[in-house]
Amino acid sequence: MKTPTMRLDRLLGSLGYGSRRDIAALARLGAITLDGRELTDASARIAVTPDLPARMTVDGAPVDPPPGVVILLNKPLGVTCSHKEAGPLVYDLLPTRWRARDPAISTVGRLDKETSGLLLMTDDGDLLHRIISPKRHVAKVYRATLARPLNGSEGALFASGQLMLEGDDKPLKPAELEVISPTEARLSVTEGRYHMVRRMFAAAGNHVEALHRERLGGLALPADLAAGSWRLLGPDEVTTIFDGAT
């Protein structure tokens, strides 16, 4: 496959470094290097490869990753998966310049404000839709802390494929429950309905006090990734998301 190329000013503009005029000024100042050599012509065409941050610098710092980023974020409580809502947003946890990237970075599905844990973000629209597509059956695994002890009927209810949530017009697909303690459970679901896990436990007569997403498909949230922290995923890690999916 032929390596794509872009004009330097267009590439850096799409990564949020400024207008074409801004990029041209940086180039004239010798602030952009590629493989150790200064790039003074902002119209020069650059091969856009995944290793670009190891080869190009802007103002002495590695250039931001080119389009195709997949971000693994440990979402903390109290932040919202939105571009527009008031209050702290998940996008505030990323470098400020990344808000100006084109294509834009979006969350892969959403976690509500009071749910923590594994959240993916990407500018790859095709990948995003593959992950959230109902046809893929990518499992999402949550750990729930409950207000009251489990009564023992929840596992069969959630696995039945017949549970109808209030306001919905079709039953839920079967989900798998693992009991951790009398008031803690791990739930694996393959759908992404609004406040789904909370509503499932409510239908079983309980209330979720805390909810944390631990896994998406074959990808687990690393134990050493602190709340509010993130890192980029490599291609092999992205592939694990679809482990076990159909």
Side-chain angles (χ1 to χ4, degrees):
M1 182 181 296
K2 188 176 181 180
T3 301
T5 63
M6 291 179 66
R7 280 177 53 124
L8 177 63
D9 51 7
R10 183 180 175 191
L11 170 63
L12 293 185
S14 74
L15 298 180
Y17 283 91
S19 66
R20 289 191 176 187
R21 180 176 295 180
D22 295 331
I23 308 307
L26 286 171
R28 287 195 300 271
L29 291 170
I32 306 170
T33 68
L34 178 65
D35 296 329
R37 297 189 302 174
E38 293 182 0
L39 294 176
T40 57
D41 181 4
S43 68
R45 298 195 70 85
I46 304 299
V48 183
T49 57
D51 66 345
L52 203 57
R55 301 175 54 226
M56 181 181 284
T57 65
V58 180
D59 278 335
V63 72
D64 293 341
V69 295
V70 184
I71 302 160
L72 171 63
L73 170 71
N74 186 353
K75 178 192 170 298
L77 296 174
V79 298
T80 305
C81 296
S82 170
H83 282 286
K84 300 179 180 179
E85 294 184 32
L89 308 177
V90 292
Y91 301 98
D92 298 334
L93 301 172
L94 302 178
T96 302
R97 182 169 56 240
W98 287 24
R99 287 192 171 212
R101 289 174 64 104
D102 182 19
I105 293 173
S106 299
T107 62
V108 181
R110 299 181 68 162
L111 294 178
D112 67 57
K113 188 175 182 179
E114 299 309 319
T115 299
S116 61
L118 191 158
L119 180 70
L120 293 186
M121 306 172 76
T122 185
D123 58 7
D124 185 336
D126 289 341
L127 175 65
L128 188 156
H129 290 295
R130 282 172 57 209
I131 296 172
I132 66 174
S133 171
K135 297 178 181 178
R136 289 279 179 171
H137 303 112
V138 174
K140 295 171 279 288
V141 180
Y142 297 84
R143 183 170 181 142
T145 302
L146 306 168
R148 291 175 291 279
L150 296 157
N151 61 34
S153 68
E154 296 89 355
L157 176 64
F158 296 162
S160 69
Q162 298 178 4
L163 176 59
M164 184 81 75
L165 298 179
E166 183 177 353
D168 287 0
D169 58 4
K170 60 181 179 180
L172 294 175
K173 293 178 180 177
E176 182 178 344
L177 181 76
E178 176 192 348
V179 175
I180 300 172
S181 77
T183 57
E184 281 190 291
R186 187 171 285 114
L187 184 63
S188 177
V189 300
T190 57
E191 297 178 272
R193 303 191 198 183
Y194 179 73
H195 286 176
M196 178 177 169
V197 174
R198 298 180 188 275
R199 293 164 68 203
M200 289 173 70
F201 281 105
N206 214 323
H207 173 73
V208 174
E209 292 191 329
L211 192 61
H212 182 77
R213 184 154 73 185
E214 298 181 331
R215 182 177 290 271
L216 182 66
L219 180 68
L221 183 67
D224 61 352
L225 189 66
S229 298
W230 59 273
R231 66 174 178 82
L232 297 177
L233 292 184
D236 290 344
E237 293 176 299
V238 172
T239 299
T240 67
I241 296 169
F242 300 99
D243 288 353
T246 57

